[in-house]
Amino acid sequence: MTERQTEERPAGVSETTMQAGDIRARWAWVEPSVWTERMLMALEKGVKGGKWFSLIDKVYALANLGAAFAKVKANRGVAGVDHETIEMFEQRLEENLEKLSRSLREGSYRPQGVRRVWITKQGSKEKRPLGIPTVRDRVVQTAVLQVFEPIFEREFGAQSYGFRPNRGCKDALRRVVELLQAGYTMVVDADLRSYFDTISWGRLMKLVEEKVSDGEVIEVLKAMLSQKVMETATSWTPEEGTPQGAVISPLLSNIYLDPLDQKMAQAGVEMVRYADDCAPRRRGKEAVMAA
């Protein structure tokens, strides 16, 4: 074989290798320590019964927790009810991550309370509540998110743009413009008021369990939802909703509204659903429907 022929037909590159590379490119945003090529292939082909089992070991893996802390650190943020800052947590990072891993593995992990603060809404005199979990709980939530998100993202409706990888406000607005240019003349603008605070846990967990059958991960998620809310001298345990400010909340909000996205698509209604960052005067989620 000549040198030129060798260049034209690279040795050792199998079809499986190329497929793995293609899959990795399609899912470039996922956490690689969790979503290996094998996991991604299973994700795209579909798992038996459409449900994922044995995910808790992916959550408590030290590599996943370490990647989760890196994201928490990059997002900055203040301390929670335990007054532990990101810098303080990082001073004993290896020990703290090992403790979290062990507690998740043994089933003894319990999230601490959520510190509630009120922040001014842009362009409005109103304020909205913001829940601040502790740093350790933000790490765990991010670790769960890194396991969960690709499972649900795979089947989310094309018309949702809020809190999704590689999608955002500008994409939603471009789609609205496309629909108007295509001849749609009627627009219904619907604002879901206090959306995060009114999510039904029962309905939400039913939707989660349609794709996730790992009871240990489900229990961790339930514990996150029922974290005590602490505000100044008062505290209470919520019975519904997911805190704005919690790392896992944006994904849960999309899981909860995905059935709406699917039904609207089946009905032939063009809908663009986006987050409130597209409309500063709004609260909660937004939906723009062109008919």
Side-chain angles (χ1 to χ4, degrees):
M1 182 177 292
T2 66
E3 183 178 350
R4 180 174 179 80
Q5 287 175 317
T6 303
E7 291 175 353
E8 291 176 348
R9 298 180 60 187
V13 181
S14 67
E15 183 178 350
T16 302
T17 301
M18 288 188 290
Q19 289 176 347
D22 292 340
I23 290 176
R24 179 60 68 190
R26 287 193 293 274
W27 296 90
W29 55 271
V30 305
E31 171 50 43
S33 69
V34 175
W35 290 94
T36 62
E37 278 77 8
R38 183 179 178 181
M39 287 271 290
L40 290 175
M41 286 181 181
L43 180 67
E44 290 204 345
K45 291 179 179 178
V47 293
K48 186 176 181 180
K51 292 188 176 184
W52 289 78
F53 297 84
S54 302
L55 293 176
I56 189 65
D57 60 316
K58 313 296 188 300
V59 174
Y60 66 62
L62 284 173
N64 185 30
L65 291 171
F69 172 75
K71 290 185 178 179
V72 170
K73 180 180 178 180
N75 290 333
R76 301 179 181 178
V78 298
V81 295
D82 62 353
H83 306 292
E84 184 176 40
T85 64
I86 293 173
E87 292 74 21
M88 293 166 63
F89 188 93
E90 190 174 23
Q91 288 175 3
R92 302 170 65 183
L93 182 60
E94 184 176 347
E95 178 184 347
N96 285 330
L97 294 183
E98 287 178 351
K99 283 183 178 179
L100 280 179
S101 178
R102 184 168 57 254
S103 65
L104 288 164
R105 183 172 63 253
E106 296 174 350
S108 60
Y109 168 76
R110 297 293 182 273
Q112 296 172 279
V114 174
R115 182 162 71 91
R116 169 164 283 194
V117 298
W118 292 83
I119 61 174
T120 303
K121 289 182 60 65
Q122 184 178 354
S124 172
K125 294 182 180 180
E126 297 180 357
K127 292 187 176 182
R128 63 183 178 91
L130 186 67
I132 304 175
T134 62
V135 174
R136 67 186 288 274
D137 291 337
R138 297 206 295 269
V139 170
V140 174
Q141 287 189 20
T142 305
V144 173
L145 177 68
Q146 290 175 164
V147 174
F148 270 25
E149 192 166 30
I151 294 173
F152 293 92
E153 179 65 29
R154 177 179 180 270
E155 297 182 14
F156 277 160
Q159 57 274 75
S160 68
Y161 292 84
F163 311 120
R164 294 186 60 187
N166 301 323
R167 287 183 165 222
C169 177
K170 292 182 179 179
D171 300 305
L173 296 177
R174 287 191 192 99
R175 180 56 181 161
V176 173
V177 172
E178 288 175 0
L179 291 171
L180 294 173
Q181 292 175 340
Y184 288 89
T185 57
M186 295 178 59
V187 177
V188 177
D189 182 6
D191 173 20
L192 303 185
R193 189 179 181 89
S194 300
Y195 171 61
F196 282 89
D197 295 334
T198 56
I199 290 176
S200 165
W201 289 352
R203 177 61 178 162
L204 173 63
M205 296 310 303
K206 182 178 179 181
L207 292 170
V208 171
E209 290 172 3
E210 286 178 359
K211 292 183 173 64
V212 176
S213 290
D214 187 322
E216 292 178 90
V217 176
I218 294 298
E219 289 304 311
V220 171
L221 182 58
K222 288 180 178 178
M224 291 175 179
L225 290 172
S226 58
Q227 286 176 268
K228 182 177 291 186
V229 178
M230 306 180 72
E231 181 178 4
T232 315
T234 63
S235 65
W236 69 95
T237 301
E239 297 180 353
E240 63 179 0
T242 179
Q244 293 191 57
V247 177
I248 198 72
S249 291
L251 174 62
L252 297 180
S253 73
N254 277 329
I255 292 173
Y256 195 75
L257 279 182
D258 187 61
L260 169 66
D261 298 338
Q262 304 294 348
K263 287 182 179 180
M264 296 299 279
Q266 292 170 6
V269 177
E270 291 287 356
M271 182 175 76
V272 180
R273 182 167 64 78
Y274 52 90
D276 61 357
D277 58 351
C278 289
R281 295 179 182 275
R282 299 289 189 177
R283 290 192 293 180
K285 284 281 192 172
E286 296 287 340
V288 176
M289 291 166 280

